[in-house]
Amino acid sequence: MGKRLTWTALAGLATSGLLSGPLSAAPPEPLPAESLDWQPWGDDRPADALCRGTYVMPDYRLPAPEGERVGIESDSAHYGEDGESILGGEVVLRRGTSQLEAPRVRVPGSRESAFAEGPLALRDQGLLVRGQAGELSLTSDAASIDTAHYVVHDHHLRGDAVRLERLEDGRYRLSEASFTSCDPGSELWRLIGNDVVLDRESGFGTARHARLEMGRVPVFYWPWVRFPIDDRRQTGFLWPSIGFSSDELDYAQPFYWNIAPNHDATITPRWITDRGLQLGGEYRYLFPSDAGQIDGAFLGSDDGGSSSDPNAASRRFEGEDRWYVDYRHAGRFDARTRYRLRYGVASDGRYFDDFGRDFGEQSTSNLLRLAQIDYRGDVWQLDARAQGYQKLDDPLLDRDKPFYRLPSLTANARWSQQTGFYQQWRSNATHFWRDVDENRVPLRESATGTRLHLSPATGWRFDRSWGHLEPRVEWLATAYDLDFGERQTDRDTSLTRQVPVSSIDGGLVFEREVELGGRDYRQTLEPRLNYAYVPARDQSDFPDFDANERAFSWQQLWSPHRFSGADRVGDLNRLSLGVESRLLEDERGRERLSVGMGQAVFFDDRTIDLDGDPDTLPPESNFELHRNATRNRSPLVTRLDWRITDRWRSRWEWLYDDRLERTERASTDLQYRAPAGHVVNLGYRWELEGFDPSVEPDDDDFRNFNREEYDLSFAWKASPRVDMIGRFLYDNTNDRTLEQLAGVQWNDCCYGLQLVWREWIDDNDTAGVDDDFGDRGVFLRFVFKGLGGVGREADSYFEEAIPGYRSTAF
């Protein structure tokens, strides 16, 4: 669906087939619950029970006879001259696992069958059939019963039929029959067919001239339908999904193909009125050591959408073929060696904007391409990969195109001695490539080529319960073989760089026993000191394949590396001081509270940025960049992690500039989680404009304002059947709501319902807010237990939007 999806509803609730198809099937009225082996829950009701009771098959009344013999018990018997037997009173016949109970049974002289007059009951391995009259074969499994009412105990299924036949191959054939998984007395839904066949061995049923009734109201008709009667996968049509907007109808009809126990496929034709006919599909396979899937879709000659503006983005690919393919495979050669394959490609950068992929999420940022094999040994870790991805932006500028790693080879190892000394070896060789016009990107981004990066290290770790000390030296050696293509430059194509990184980290641990709130705790006081020195090296001619400058944080207090990737090594002459205190509440050391505070002191300016020039600093006109490079101390970092009770938990982080007396970043989270499944999250975020140096002004994630957001989300399990969910995300800086979501999930014994309203802001893949626009949708998913469901699953999105929430499975 496109970005203007308004709501998703039950597909085909009113169809021409419903109005014109045969509706003459009329099964008998169902029996009361007490006649169907139904036992309501009492005090022993399971906490997670969705049904109001359970079907319990009573013990056989007769012991199993030997071989093919038939056991008989009756109050009276009359024998005719031709060998016919007429049994009366309370008659019980048993052959193998089948047992017949009736007030009158006639057995002809041939002894091949028995005729029963009702009300009768036929039982067989978790199956109960009650009826008015019936015939039971005494030499095979065949039987037939008139005015039948049946129960399949294990699968919580029941139904009624004018006539029920048990065929010799074990299948059941029903005429003018119904089928439902609802509790006795509930008529929420039932499937009715003129000719129904149930195959318990294969786990599916078929019905001709079938209709679905909800509350005795017909809502759907099939000339023929195949449906599951247990949890096994079955080939057949799944429930369709339909979407409406003011100017578009979007209808998808999936077909599921259960190829084999370890292979299946779903084929989905989809009709979008202002786009055309799309064919999508998914194929999955599973082997003992390998698994994978491939999915994709194709739409020929896009009609361009409903916009009347010929310059609208949605009409950019009008008349062109639109498609995507995404292949994933993973496996292992042995316990230590694994591999992964992934290849995703789309016809254009707007494909998922126009056609969607997940619940309420119309865009996907990129499609990964990967071929990887890795080995994890006791000492060595080896990794070989070819990696890249398609960035889904439209238009996609050359400077925004990602680099491919063709290939990337990594070898890492670590050796440790009992004396505390250790050695590390890290190495990587990567060839970087991308298809760009070298003259349309900055010079330092126009190069492609090979990079060899070695980083051996050695250190000594003294670690005791009362403290630790770790001096460490690492040597970063990097060499490049570059190619600038047709770009005219006098830069050297063979570059090398060697930078030593030295650090010393130490801390003490003081402990005492304390009593708080009537409970005993062990409190620690842990001062820590870390010194790091990295000299500046000229890197102005070096390319920028994968470098990003890290934003300051608690972790950066203790790390000597200012950049991620290997293209930049940031100069550093810094002393970090911090203190942390923890409350430990039992012998296992379970942490109840952790609070820390720290700050770094810089002895030199940081001259290395992405430009790599050690002789220049950012211009003073760019206040934030210049200040970050020249300040003599970092922001004061304060953090807290407090498990208030077993249900309440709070996290807090605050970065404060004590010189300018301003907050640079702050985050607060309060979470409530109950064993019953309730979750409540309260969050607050503040971030100074330009705080994260890895996000440049041209990036989609850049915000040219101080970002202040409030986030409230919850999921409340009102009962084993009802989940209520909601989220409110507010952008206080721009006085707008970024997302509102409210929904309910009802999980009953015979059906599941997921109804959600969502309204959100789409940032249109740009850094500014001027072209942002709002979108909204009402999403409905309905599952008939035993038949499948209609609508788009949203469980994974809810679990991401509401931390701590785990959806109840239908």
Side-chain angles (χ1 to χ4, degrees), residues 564-786:
S564 61
D567 292 320
R568 296 291 180 272
V569 178
D571 55 323
L572 191 65
N573 188 4
R574 183 218 64 206
L575 177 66
S576 295
L577 303 100
V579 62
E580 189 173 11
S581 180
R582 296 182 294 154
L583 281 181
L584 309 177
E585 67 175 352
D586 52 34
E587 294 180 354
R588 293 178 300 169
R590 188 168 65 162
E591 188 175 275
R592 178 64 68 180
L593 172 68
S594 174
V595 58
M597 178 181 295
Q599 191 171 35
V601 178
F602 301 107
F603 302 108
D604 294 316
D605 294 339
R606 278 73 58 209
T607 58
I608 299 297
D609 56 14
L610 283 178
D611 291 333
D613 188 348
D615 299 323
T616 62
L617 289 169
E620 295 185 13
S621 58
N622 191 327
F623 178 78
E624 295 300 335
L625 288 180
H626 183 80
R627 171 161 176 74
N628 286 336
T630 59
R631 66 198 303 174
N632 57 18
R633 61 175 182 255
S634 74
L636 183 66
V637 185
T638 307
R639 58 176 294 272
L640 177 143
D641 190 339
W642 183 16
R643 190 175 294 275
I644 305 169
T645 68
D646 290 340
R647 301 189 178 192
W648 287 94
R649 182 170 186 173
S650 177
R651 289 187 175 94
W652 177 56
E653 186 177 47
W654 183 32
L655 277 71
Y656 180 72
D657 186 341
D658 56 337
R659 281 285 179 87
L660 298 182
E661 298 183 347
R662 64 176 186 176
T663 297
E664 296 190 2
R665 174 187 275 179
S667 64
T668 304
D669 294 285
L670 178 65
Q671 183 181 76
Y672 170 82
R673 294 186 66 179
H678 311 314
V679 178
V680 179
N681 300 289
L682 297 172
Y684 172 79
R685 303 285 182 276
W686 162 273
E687 186 173 291
L688 192 69
E689 177 188 347
F691 172 81
D692 188 347
S694 67
V695 181
E696 299 181 357
D698 292 334
D699 294 342
D700 293 349
D701 294 333
F702 182 80
R703 295 294 178 265
N704 57 350
F705 51 83
N706 298 333
R707 195 168 191 172
E708 185 177 28
E709 294 177 357
Y710 299 90
D711 194 352
L712 165 66
S713 63
F714 73 91
W716 198 265
K717 292 186 179 293
S719 72
R721 295 183 177 87
V722 181
D723 290 5
M724 301 177 66
I725 61 173
R727 188 187 188 195
F728 180 78
L729 179 60
Y730 184 72
D731 176 4
N732 192 55
T733 306
N734 297 293
D735 192 21
R736 60 178 184 167
T737 302
L738 296 178
E739 180 176 25
Q740 299 178 80
L741 181 149
V744 61
Q745 178 172 292
W746 179 278
N747 195 23
D748 194 73
C749 182
C750 67
Y751 75 98
L753 174 68
Q754 198 174 65
L755 177 63
V756 179
W757 167 81
R758 182 176 179 234
E759 183 174 322
W760 68 97
I761 294 291
D762 194 306
D763 66 6
N764 212 23
D765 296 332
T766 64
V769 300
D770 296 338
D771 59 349
D772 293 355
F773 61 89
D775 211 342
R776 63 174 59 89
V778 176
F779 302 88
L780 174 66
R781 183 184 177 217
F782 203 106
V783 174
F784 303 95
K785 303 292 182 68

Side-chain angles (χ1 to χ4, degrees), residues 82-226:
D82 57 356
E84 180 182 64
S85 301
I86 299 177
L87 309 177
E90 192 172 357
V91 183
V92 181
L93 278 72
R94 182 172 180 186
R95 175 184 176 271
T97 59
S98 298
Q99 176 179 281
L100 175 67
E101 306 170 24
R104 177 182 171 85
V105 176
R106 179 172 62 86
V107 182
S110 62
R111 298 296 190 265
E112 294 182 351
S113 58
F115 298 88
E117 299 178 9
L120 61 86
L122 175 65
R123 299 185 179 277
D124 186 4
Q125 292 183 319
L127 176 75
L128 165 66
V129 182
R130 294 192 181 274
Q132 293 301 316
E135 178 182 353
L136 174 69
S137 173
L138 300 179
T139 60
S140 70
D141 290 331
S144 65
I145 296 175
D146 297 331
T147 314
H149 312 271
Y150 67 92
V151 171
V152 184
H153 298 75
D154 294 342
H155 303 300
H156 206 88
L157 303 178
R158 65 179 176 88
D160 313 282
V162 171
R163 183 176 180 83
L164 181 148
E165 298 176 77
R166 186 176 65 183
L167 308 179
E168 293 189 8
D169 59 7
R171 295 181 300 155
Y172 292 84
R173 185 167 202 151
L174 301 87
S175 302
E176 312 295 319
S178 68
F179 162 91
T180 186
S181 61
C182 296
D183 291 342
S186 171
E187 297 182 353
L188 182 91
W189 72 267
R190 63 176 184 168
L191 182 72
I192 297 176
N194 290 353
D195 183 10
V196 178
V197 176
L198 303 178
D199 190 339
R200 297 177 66 195
E201 182 176 346
S202 63
F204 71 88
T206 61
R208 298 181 184 274
H209 297 307
R211 69 178 185 268
L212 176 68
E213 290 188 354
M214 298 183 67
R216 297 297 180 101
V217 178
V219 295
F220 205 93
Y221 168 77
W222 297 268
W224 180 88
V225 66
R226 176 186 174 109

